[in-house]
Amino acid sequence: MLFIQGINKLIKQEKAETTKVAECTKKTEPKVQEECENAGQIQPKLFTPGPLLTSKTVKRSMNYDYGSRDPQFIKVVKDIRNDILSICEVQKGEYECVLIQGSGTYGIEAALTTAIPKTNHKLLIIANGAYGIRQQKIAQYNNINYITIDYDDNQVVVAEDVAKKLQENPDVTHVSMIHSETTSGLINPIEEVAKVVKAFNQNIIFLVDAMSSFGAYRINPKEAGIDYVVASSNKNLQGIPGFSFAVVKTDVLLATKGNARSLVLDLYDQWQGLESNGQFRFTPPTHVLKATKVAIDEYLALGGLPARFKRYNNNQKLLVQKMTELGFKLYIDQAFQGCIITTFLTPTHPSFKFEEMYNFLASQGLVIYPGKLTKADSFRIGSIGEIYEEDILTLVKAIQEYLKSKGVSLPVSYN
Ligand SMILES: Cc1ncc(COP(=O)(O)O)c(C=O)c1O
């Protein structure tokens, strides 16, 4: 009875708060919009892999200041942690969700430096792009003993290579890799690698950077044999940048007390804080958390992971179809291509200049992304965030207009 009364009170509070927010928004939004328009600011379409375009309701939900000890805010944190576990199809107690302030890299550094003890360790980093290289940098900064498998950024990770490396290095204690390599847009076979790692030695801890795949690609860490899955608020969940999270196998996390090299990036301590009073140890990004909870609610209401994958996949397929009709070449083999971001090779026509095309598109409120490859000249177009088929068609039409304005004949050429 008391429990039901408590729930009713919470629902009442939530309703009152929603009304308060709606009233507030009604008063402030026209003013904010007017100010933005006066300053010539129109919300551009971001064809980028994060920060990305969020929904209006997500943006609006930040129009309220929470205190970090407010029970309603503590509930937001709790709900996000539970939602993330349910997206991974795991139960609390077998896996834990730890939220931590900062962008995705903070989450990766927190996971690596909490997972790996200060002595008696050897990390294998599997890299096929900038984010694998970033992990190597993290290892260097934190005196982590590591070895690598380095692929070119258009090559997919091969599980047999990992098995071979482990045989050559039986003292490896941790293995880490990227799921969706945002550098190129390819998807690595994390399940196959997990199988090889755990078959070699069940005690090896396996970490996955799922920054740009989480929420669109199914990852069940329990089923796959993954100990850490790390992602952030502002990718496929379409929340606001400002925190990252790790889904960690409970008994693995329990064994990491005292491992961390840094106070703020201590994932174990952060977890202990969240467990003991539901709060972040240090000032939480309150607006970001509230808005991301709204984003997760929208995500779930719209059909969750399968629906998000479907929309992104449709966007990406349409993009590739339209861009290849213009003659653009893709950087990676389509067998490994993900639906998050696509890398196109820069045409060699002397009048084609990426910077010019970027500015031409940006002037029409269409923001794309430069390439990040070490070797080939390229540019990238993201298909995630509040982006729909009609936006893809608008973008490709604008690209065609740019080509026409520069006298680049179609299809575009490569020497
Ligand atoms: C695969 C991957 N890992 C790590 C990161 C780093 O995240 P952040 O830039 O939020 O620190 C990103 C960012 O796009 C990413 O795509």
Side-chain angles (χ1 to χ4, degrees):
M1 188 61 187
L2 266 179
F3 175 71
I4 294 179
Q5 276 174 351
I7 298 266
N8 283 342
K9 198 171 158 210
L10 263 181
I11 293 173
K12 229 176 183 176
Q13 274 175 356
E14 183 81 22
K15 267 193 191 150
E17 182 220 332
T18 314
T19 318
K20 249 190 281 170
V21 172
E23 278 168 12
C24 246
T25 307
K26 227 192 284 170
K27 277 189 217 148
T28 54
E29 197 175 64
K31 199 163 161 253
V32 171
Q33 246 173 30
E34 195 187 320
E35 277 169 11
C36 286
E37 276 160 23
N38 287 345
Q41 278 181 308
I42 297 165
Q43 173 62 61
K45 294 275 177 193
L46 303 179
F47 297 87
T48 55
L52 42 67
L53 207 55
T54 58
S55 73
K56 281 190 180 139
T57 38
V58 166
K59 285 190 269 283
R60 272 184 209 138
S61 67
M62 288 185 285
N63 218 339
Y64 187 87
D65 302 320
Y66 279 105
S68 60
R69 289 169 193 207
D70 183 331
Q72 288 182 49
F73 174 69
I74 289 177
K75 186 174 178 304
V76 165
V77 172
K78 186 174 173 210
D79 288 348
I80 292 177
R81 293 177 66 207
N82 287 334
D83 289 343
I84 288 170
L85 288 178
S86 75
I87 292 167
C88 283
E89 304 166 26
V90 289
Q91 303 286 328
K92 179 156 174 47
E94 43 185 27
Y95 277 79
E96 304 298 322
C97 175
V98 193
L99 313 180
I100 196 152
Q101 295 96 329
S103 77
T105 308
Y106 289 67
I108 298 291
E109 185 154 346
L112 285 171
T113 55
T114 303
I116 301 172
K118 293 188 190 87
T119 54
N120 295 331
H121 65 260
K122 188 170 186 177
L123 167 68
L124 167 61
I125 301 172
I126 308 166
N128 57 348
Y131 296 103
I133 293 170
R134 189 170 297 176
Q135 288 194 6
Q136 296 173 30
K137 238 184 188 159
I138 290 173
Q140 288 159 20
Y141 265 81
N142 289 283
N143 287 323
I144 290 171
N145 175 31
Y146 74 96
I147 55 170
T148 63
I149 301 179
D150 284 305
Y151 295 94
D152 281 347
D153 40 27
N154 60 349
Q155 285 185 321
V156 77
V157 172
V158 178
E160 289 75 37
D161 296 344
V162 180
K164 189 163 168 272
K165 196 74 173 181
L166 290 175
Q167 266 145 25
E168 290 162 6
N169 297 272
D171 52 344
V172 163
T173 54
H174 295 71
V175 174
S176 184
M177 70 180 289
I178 320 296
H179 188 199
S180 162
E181 222 330 329
T182 325
T183 309
S184 61
L186 69 69
I187 300 289
N188 285 312
I190 50 171
E191 283 95 354
E192 285 173 31
V193 174
K195 220 178 254 173
V196 157
V197 168
K198 296 291 177 176
F200 183 77
N201 179 352
Q202 190 65 28
N203 295 326
I204 293 178
I205 305 298
F206 184 40
L207 300 92
V208 171
D209 169 348
M211 211 63 65
S212 67
S213 58
F214 190 92
Y217 283 84
R218 180 173 180 262
I219 306 169
N220 179 324
K222 187 182 171 193
E223 205 175 272
I226 301 169
D227 298 293
Y228 286 74
V229 175
V230 184
S232 74
S233 51
N234 185 239
K235 297 270 195 244
N236 305 333
L237 296 178
Q238 296 190 185
I240 302 293
F243 75 92
S244 50
F245 53 87
V247 173
V248 192
K249 195 160 183 264
T250 307
D251 56 0
V252 168
L253 184 60
L254 275 166
T256 60
K257 186 174 165 53
N259 281 356
R261 279 85 170 157
S262 134
L263 173 68
V264 291
L265 296 180
D266 188 338
L267 214 57
Y268 178 89
D269 241 31
Q270 180 79 352
W271 175 56
Q272 288 287 294
L274 288 166
E275 287 296 299
S276 64
N277 58 11
Q279 294 176 26
F280 278 54
R281 290 172 301 160
F282 313 120
T283 304
T286 45
H287 302 77
V288 171
L289 285 152
K290 172 65 187 179
T292 302
K293 175 59 186 147
V294 171
I296 293 172
D297 287 347
E298 288 182 355
Y299 169 86
L300 297 173
L302 290 169
L305 189 145
R308 189 120 315 166
F309 175 82
K310 191 169 173 214
R311 176 161 63 86
Y312 290 174
N313 199 44
N314 285 347
N315 285 347
Q316 198 270 342
K317 293 275 179 304
L318 183 63
L319 174 71
V320 168
Q321 181 203 325
K322 293 290 167 192
M323 288 293 278
T324 44
E325 276 170 23
L326 296 182
F328 284 97
K329 280 191 184 159
L330 294 149
Y331 179 58
I332 56 174
D333 187 328
Q334 288 310 278
F336 318 126
Q337 175 72 57
C339 66
I340 307 299
I341 190 160
T342 309
T343 303
F344 295 97
L345 292 170
T346 308
T348 48
H349 191 289
S351 300
F352 183 97
K353 302 268 184 309
F354 174 74
E355 279 299 316
E356 265 180 19
M357 181 172 81
Y358 179 92
N359 291 333
F360 180 89
L361 297 173
S363 71
Q364 299 180 39
L366 304 164
V367 177
I368 61 168
Y369 227 47
K372 205 182 170 94
L373 304 176
T374 39
K375 287 178 189 151
D377 217 358
S378 65
F379 63 92
R380 291 176 294 169
I381 300 179
S383 29
I384 62 175
E386 277 300 283
I387 293 294
Y388 295 84
E389 274 186 21
E390 59 270 26
D391 302 312
I392 300 284
L393 294 174
T394 305
L395 175 70
V396 179
K397 192 158 165 261
I399 290 174
Q400 191 167 0
E401 276 162 20
Y402 164 76
L403 297 171
K404 198 169 161 206
S405 76
K406 299 303 294 178
V408 178
S409 51
L410 292 178
V412 294
S413 56
Y414 293 87
N415 298 328

